[in-house]
Amino acid sequence: IHLEQSNWNQASKVFRRLKSNLQNSPYLEQSLFFLSESLFRQKNHVETQAVLSELRQNFHPLQNPVPVIHLQVRNLVAMGELKQADQLLRKDLRHQPDFSLIQLHLSILEKLGDQQGILEISRLGLNLEVTEDQSFLHLQRANALYQTKNLAKAFVHYEQALFNPPNGQRSFILFRLIKIHYLLKEFDAFEKRGKAYLVEDEQSDYANELLLMLSMYFFQKNRPKQAK
């Protein structure tokens, strides 16, 4: 009841009593998880980590490992331990290649600025062949390749992501594709796709940057009327 009502303080008291009084209970594993979640909700991160460590040491394998891993990683992130969270996921993903854990890991690697890590983990996700999540993984991989100047490879993955773009990402993906055309000096494709983009969008930051790029391109090509 306390969990359903988000009464985390009372919930943690109940599960502490269960932990102390029912050491041989078949519900002890679940009680430890609920206790750690209650503590996490109260921002008691040190005790949360201690309870989760106890849970993982005493119950192996876990009945339902993914929520436990999720909570442990989120708690480490809340403590500012991004590298430790990264290490934990690298180890656990070998045995639990769950897509939600891959998403969580990618978000941490992005915060760490670890582009090679993003490439590695997105490749793991793509190997799972979970079709509804492919575009998200292609986008993550494309961004990492773009940041590491692997433009041709990034282009391929942006194109793959565009087949079913993640929510709110279509304009960004199109812009990156056009910019890669420009950076690779594929100017015919840059001009054609750039003009098509501006028919749909004239107001966004992407549109403004694209207008500037097109203006510079037209000046370089001695086409000043089109640059205006």
Side-chain angles (χ1 to χ4, degrees), residues 168-173 175-176 197-198 201 203-213:
Q169 295 297 311
R170 182 176 180 274
S171 292
F172 168 75
I173 295 168
F175 172 74
R176 273 285 170 87
Y197 183 98
L198 291 172
D201 176 11
Q203 304 296 326
S204 71
D205 290 340
Y206 300 137
N208 290 334
E209 186 172 346
L210 184 53
L211 280 168
L212 181 61
M213 292 165 63

Side-chain angles (χ1 to χ4, degrees), residues 22-33 51-65 68:
L22 300 173
Q23 288 294 317
N24 297 318
S25 169
Y27 303 107
L28 181 59
E29 179 179 346
Q30 193 174 25
S31 295
L32 287 172
F33 175 71
V51 174
L52 286 168
S53 295
E54 179 182 351
L55 171 59
R56 299 194 67 171
Q57 288 171 7
N58 293 342
F59 296 92
H60 187 76
L62 293 163
Q63 292 179 8
N64 194 4
V68 175

